[in-house]
Amino acid sequence: MLERFLLQGPQDARFTILLAHGAGAPMDSASMTAAADALAGVGFRVARFEFAYMAARRTGVRKPPPRAETLNPEYEAAIAALDAGGPLIIGGKSMGGRVASMVADGLYDRGKITGLLCLGYPFHPPGQPEKLRTGHLKRLATPTLICQGTRDEFGTKDEVPGYDLSDRIEILWLEDGDHDLKPRKKISGFSAADHLAAMAKAAKAWAERLPL
């Protein structure tokens, strides 16, 4: 059985990043592991955790993802359990980033976090661009970096610029990236490793600008 947190990166890092997984894959999925490796590689301390429904799958209990907002207390409990002890950035992949975005402002107001990092934000369900999940993003006060593939079916580069989003949100567009930020190399000229390296480099530069 895995520990509650998967930890990597230097223990004395200036920033800790807490990442939650997406709706369908665990914290040790290939995409989560690759992203965490890239972030740790540029000097972040990275912690990954699982929501209870996903952890239950490891014991053979197949539970579907609950409504994202019902996971808010679990995310806040993970922050308390981690006890980062220094500047903390929260976020995650897809649904994990969405949950983090819903709890971010309350934590930011109380000085518990310094920023929000979302990897492939689910702006809408695939094939349903009218069902936007952006209401709370209009007034988001937490400094935020969203790393998004230009062909992400949860929100493409053609769609997202038309949304009403807070000016605290910065978006890094990764050419031809899908929901896992993976490009088609023959089309884009980039590899998945290229995009993860660009994501990590941008996250590092963004974090260094955060007010502490």
Side-chain angles (χ1 to χ4, degrees):
M1 183 175 180
L2 291 177
E3 298 293 334
R4 178 165 187 181
F5 296 103
L6 293 179
L7 298 168
Q8 62 198 106
Q11 291 297 306
D12 60 349
R14 184 181 183 193
F15 294 96
T16 296
I17 299 179
L18 178 62
L19 296 175
H21 55 83
M27 64 180 175
D28 56 348
S29 68
S31 61
M32 284 288 290
T33 298
D37 285 346
L39 291 165
V42 297
F44 289 108
R45 178 174 179 252
V46 183
R48 286 175 275 165
F49 79 99
E50 282 181 349
F51 297 114
Y53 83 90
M54 184 62 72
R57 294 184 182 183
R58 296 184 185 275
T59 63
V61 180
R62 186 74 182 179
K63 293 186 175 182
R67 292 179 63 85
E69 58 270 19
T70 68
L71 297 172
N72 292 0
E74 286 192 49
Y75 205 117
E76 296 202 34
I79 292 170
L82 179 64
D83 191 20
L88 175 65
I89 295 166
I90 63 171
K93 171 161 175 30
S94 191
M95 185 194 72
R98 183 184 175 203
V99 175
S101 73
M102 290 189 284
V103 301
D105 276 359
L107 295 162
Y108 184 68
D109 287 346
R110 302 197 306 273
K112 300 291 187 181
I113 66 169
T114 59
L116 171 67
L117 175 65
C118 299
L119 307 177
Y121 189 86
F123 288 99
H124 60 73
Q128 302 178 70
E130 73 284 356
K131 294 186 177 180
L132 290 179
R133 298 159 169 166
T134 58
H136 67 295
L137 299 183
K138 298 177 183 179
R139 58 186 181 279
L140 193 68
T142 305
T144 299
L145 177 64
I146 296 175
C147 300
Q148 195 85 353
T150 60
R151 63 184 176 92
D152 189 332
E153 61 182 353
F154 289 78
T156 69
K157 191 176 182 180
D158 290 335
E159 296 168 332
V160 175
Y163 301 157
D164 183 10
L165 302 178
S166 166
D167 61 8
R168 304 305 298 274
I169 297 174
E170 299 179 33
I171 300 180
L172 171 69
W173 288 106
L174 295 165
E175 185 62 32
D176 196 57
D178 63 10
H179 196 49
D180 288 333
L181 309 181
K182 292 181 180 178
R184 298 164 294 185
K185 189 166 186 178
K186 288 184 178 180
I187 293 175
S188 68
F190 296 103
S191 67
D194 291 334
H195 276 0
L196 288 175
M199 175 276 291
K201 181 179 178 181
K204 183 72 169 179
W206 165 78
E208 295 294 343
R209 301 196 306 269
L210 293 173
L212 300 180

